[in-house]
Amino acid sequence: MAKGKNKTSEESTNRTRTSNGHKSKQHHIRKGRQEAGAATTKNGNFPVKLAMWDFDHCDPKRCSGKKLERLGLIKNMRVGQKFQGVVVSPNGKGVVCPNDLEIVESNGAAVVECSWARLDEVPFNKIGGKNERLLPYLVAANPVNYGRPWRLNCVEALAACFAIVGHIDWAEMLLENFSWGLTFLKINEELIQVYQKCTDSESVTEAQENWLKKIEEEAKERKERGQDEDIWMMGNVNKKDRIDSETDEDTDDEENEVLARSGRNVKYDSLGNIIPEDDDEDEDEDEDESSEEYDNLGNRIEKVKYDSLGNLIEDEEEESEDEESEEEVYDSLGNLVKPNVQYDSLGNVIENVSKMTV
Ligand SMILES: C[S@@+](CC[C@H](N)C(=O)[O-])C[C@H]1O[C@@H](n2cnc3c(N)ncnc32)[C@H](O)[C@@H]1O
């Protein structure tokens, strides 16, 4: 009997549901395609099994996992189902390594399609499998988290897994479906080659640590060199301060992107969250200084105002800023939860919502 023919109709209906139990939009699309007689083979002819648990957190138009599903490349898993191959997951313990080649070749690879900001809603104990892995340091090329280490999207995560075990051909096959896809392999080329030469999980972690040390030293050198050169090359120093403080008003993702590209010493934890640096206070002080104004004799212009009786008029703007910063709340992943501001999955602001995670 052909594989899958003995499934009950309920089982096959469940396969077209997302991990939340909702009927996948793809169910309807696929059904339409099948009715039209289009040939859809298992995994769209991809050499190994690809799977995902989809928690429907993301905008389907921008979601790389959903796109792989639309292409017929990836299979949806239910909560409660386990996967035999390598599961690339934030819940992994060791990192993907070349020794995983055999598992990948015989059983494929899977990912967890969910929002980075909502990992605490994912029932990791009911999904996954016995080969759950983290990815080592690699930099995202997708438009949402471009330049951000560790925070790969689903197609990048699968491609990274294949590339590390030595199947760069499979990585390319997946990424070719995305306009920015092959950039991921380009920006990580050297590092992928480093990982490919390793053996087990420990050796990949060691290679990662050495790489991080190297880029940290390079960044330090650039910073030192930059300071020497800046004074001659930057021209209007005040202009630079203004650009820095404008950046502070950007959204988290934009800010991280700018920081990551700037070569400043940004540190991340293994899930790509920015670790606040000790010198944050200094930065704040710098910002305050940059907002000070001087008259043309170099005297500081006091920003305080007085009424006609000589009483101090409080600066309303500053007051409301203070109030806002007091209200800042962070979720369990260290993401800022901003009151009255909601962002869509690309970080665009959606107005007038009471509270949400950025
Ligand atoms: C959090 S989802 C975000 C998906 C995104 N919305 C998209 O369009 O693909 C990304 C998934 O890729 C895998 N992944 C990405 N980076 C990873 C890393 N550094 N370690 C382990 N898994 C990772 C995990 O399965 C993770 O759940």
Side-chain angles (χ1 to χ4, degrees):
M1 189 182 285
K3 216 174 175 191
K5 270 207 171 164
N6 57 349
K7 293 247 184 310
T8 63
S9 64
E10 196 197 341
E11 274 173 322
S12 42
T13 309
N14 277 341
R15 280 190 299 145
T16 64
R17 290 178 190 274
T18 66
S19 299
N20 280 349
H22 299 136
K23 238 181 197 175
S24 152
K25 275 184 201 155
Q26 299 322 308
H27 162 79
H28 304 288
I29 294 168
R30 226 180 359 249
K31 202 155 182 283
R33 268 200 222 124
Q34 281 160 3
E35 279 162 8
T40 44
T41 51
K42 189 180 107 197
N43 285 334
N45 280 335
F46 199 78
V48 287
K49 253 188 230 163
L50 300 176
M52 70 171 175
W53 290 266
D54 181 2
F55 290 91
D56 260 345
H57 291 169
C58 306
D59 175 354
K61 280 188 241 127
R62 323 237 182 229
C63 171
S64 74
K66 286 237 191 318
K67 180 160 179 183
L68 293 179
E69 197 195 357
R70 281 198 294 277
L71 293 169
L73 287 166
I74 203 164
K75 178 188 161 192
N76 242 315
M77 305 280 283
R78 272 175 293 117
V79 170
Q81 255 182 318
K82 299 278 178 171
F83 186 73
Q84 300 293 313
V86 166
V87 179
V88 188
S89 158
N91 195 44
K93 300 296 173 273
V95 294
V96 175
C97 62
N99 285 1
D100 287 326
L101 175 65
E102 210 184 308
I103 307 174
V104 171
E105 282 188 335
S106 30
N107 295 307
V111 283
V112 185
E113 175 52 67
C114 61
S115 160
W116 285 110
R118 293 168 66 184
L119 289 181
D120 52 357
E121 294 173 28
V122 176
F124 283 109
N125 56 342
K126 296 188 183 140
I127 62 171
K130 57 181 191 304
N131 305 306
E132 290 181 29
R133 305 276 190 269
L134 285 167
L135 284 167
Y137 177 91
L138 287 166
V139 177
N142 71 72
V144 180
N145 277 317
Y146 182 89
R148 193 166 182 173
W150 282 292
R151 289 213 170 175
L152 310 185
N153 68 10
C154 288
V155 67
E156 288 172 319
L158 289 167
C161 170
F162 293 141
I164 292 169
V165 301
H167 271 294
I168 203 93
D169 50 339
W170 296 354
E172 283 168 358
M173 275 171 84
L174 286 183
L175 290 165
E176 268 165 3
N177 295 299
F178 298 80
S179 57
W180 46 266
L182 295 174
T183 310
F184 174 71
L185 295 179
K186 224 176 272 165
I187 62 177
N188 291 294
E189 189 178 7
E190 208 184 326
L191 192 46
I192 287 171
Q193 283 166 7
V194 170
Y195 294 146
Q196 282 172 340
K197 289 186 191 119
C198 299
T199 50
D200 55 10
S201 191
E202 287 73 29
S203 62
V204 173
T205 305
E206 198 184 323
Q208 165 188 278
E209 297 309 319
N210 291 338
W211 184 272
L212 287 173
K213 246 184 249 156
K214 189 180 106 178
I215 59 172
E216 207 168 301
E217 273 159 24
E218 282 170 4
K220 223 187 267 169
E221 271 172 32
R222 262 202 313 276
K223 199 173 172 185
E224 280 163 15
R225 246 200 342 263
Q227 273 165 359
D228 289 347
E229 286 162 6
D230 277 357
I231 206 78
W232 303 107
M233 295 173 71
M234 247 168 31
N236 186 351
V237 179
N238 287 332
K239 177 128 195 302
K240 184 192 164 287
D241 286 346
R242 259 207 317 278
I243 291 167
D244 281 354
S245 56
E246 274 163 17
T247 311
D248 293 329
E249 287 160 21
D250 289 336
T251 64
D252 259 11
D253 274 346
E254 282 166 349
E255 185 179 355
N256 294 335
E257 196 179 310
V258 171
L259 283 169
R261 284 175 178 171
S262 71
R264 278 167 66 179
N265 263 349
V266 184
K267 294 216 176 97
Y268 298 90
D269 66 17
S270 62
L271 285 177
N273 300 310
I274 290 196
I275 302 167
E277 291 221 51
D278 296 344
D279 61 358
D280 276 352
E281 266 176 37
D282 295 349
E283 277 177 21
D284 289 344
E285 277 168 23
D286 287 351
E287 277 160 28
D288 287 341
E289 267 174 33
S290 72
S291 66
E292 283 174 357
E293 284 170 22
Y294 296 85
D295 64 19
N296 55 9
L297 290 175
N299 300 314
R300 198 168 135 212
I301 301 168
E302 290 288 337
K303 278 191 176 170
V304 286
K305 291 186 195 127
Y306 298 90
D307 66 19
S308 56
L309 291 174
N311 299 317
L312 189 67
I313 302 168
E314 297 280 349
D315 190 328
E316 281 169 25
E317 245 178 53
E318 279 179 17
E319 214 178 50
S320 63
E321 266 172 28
D322 284 350
E323 276 167 17
E324 214 171 70
S325 66
E326 270 171 28
E327 269 195 46
E328 278 179 359
V329 179
Y330 294 84
D331 71 13
S332 60
L333 289 170
N335 296 314
L336 184 64
V337 179
K338 279 193 178 172
N340 302 321
V341 183
Q342 184 173 345
Y343 297 86
D344 68 18
S345 62
L346 280 181
N348 301 315
V349 176
I350 303 164
E351 304 282 345
N352 291 333
V353 177
S354 61
K355 212 167 229 188
M356 68 89 58
T357 306
V358 180

